[in-house]
Amino acid sequence: MILEKKRLFDAYAAKQGLRSTRQRDVILDIFLSTHEHLSVEELYLKVKASHPGIGQATVYRTLKLFVDAGLAREMTLPGGQTRYEHQLAGEHHDHLICTRCNRIVEFEDATIERLQHEIAQRHGFRLTGHKMQLCGICPACSAAEIQ
Ligand SMILES: [Zn+2]
Ligand SMILES: [Zn+2]
């Protein structure tokens, strides 16, 4: 999957006439090496740990390129913060988000997916995509509340 994402980006970069840069390769490798849902700041800190010469603005611009290339997905948390994860067009999952600590849990549910298609169909829509976020309090935050 990682190789496929790299190839997808290379093809996109070539089509856009972007010259390959060492910095972009580094950012792509680090981004693909994690399965977290990262903010720009978090990815920047990971990059900075091994490559202190790469600035936050470069990380931000590069992430936007990954989104445009179709290998990253941008998501907005209930509080307004933006996070990024790598995902190809065919891959899909939804998210449960803790509104206290921003913890994100991924899930996939065939019944929900099917229902969404049925609802779209009922309204005459051909479904091309959806964003599903369930917001709530995660077990750890619930436990902390009781104490
Ligand atoms: Zn929480
Ligand atoms: Zn996710």
Side-chain angles (χ1 to χ4, degrees):
M1 249 354 170
I2 284 181
L3 210 65
E4 202 179 319
K5 283 164 184 163
K6 280 191 171 186
R7 270 198 220 109
L8 185 76
F9 185 73
D10 286 344
Y12 173 83
K15 213 171 113 192
Q16 298 292 313
L18 299 172
R19 281 213 334 248
S20 80
T21 71
R22 168 102 186 89
Q23 291 197 339
R24 208 160 53 213
D25 289 345
V26 167
I27 296 169
L28 184 59
D29 278 337
I30 293 173
F31 182 55
L32 293 180
S33 73
T34 172
H35 280 281
E36 293 167 57
H37 303 75
L38 296 167
S39 65
V40 176
E41 172 83 22
E42 286 166 344
L43 180 60
Y44 165 64
L45 291 176
K46 278 183 192 287
V47 170
K48 198 177 128 186
S50 52
H51 296 79
I54 301 179
Q56 191 166 345
T58 304
V59 172
Y60 179 73
R61 267 199 318 271
T62 307
L63 263 177
K64 288 283 177 195
L65 274 181
F66 296 163
V67 173
D68 291 342
L71 65 92
R73 168 153 85 143
E74 191 178 78
M75 59 188 280
T76 308
L77 300 192
Q81 201 193 48
T82 305
R83 300 281 187 97
Y84 297 86
E85 64 180 326
H86 51 92
Q87 187 174 47
L88 293 174
E91 299 177 290
H92 177 73
H93 60 257
D94 293 311
H95 296 112
L96 270 157
I97 298 167
C98 176
T99 53
R100 296 276 156 81
C101 69
N102 276 346
R103 180 171 164 226
I104 298 172
V105 175
E106 299 185 340
F107 72 91
E108 236 195 304
D109 186 286
T111 308
I112 289 178
E113 297 295 321
R114 186 173 43 74
L115 272 175
Q116 290 176 138
H117 279 278
E118 284 175 17
I119 292 165
Q121 216 165 37
R122 214 179 295 151
H123 294 271
F125 274 62
R126 187 168 47 85
L127 214 57
T128 53
H130 70 264
K131 286 178 187 169
M132 155 90 87
Q133 290 187 353
L134 301 179
C135 308
I137 317 287
C138 75
C141 288
S142 290
E145 227 165 55
I146 292 161
Q147 277 154 24

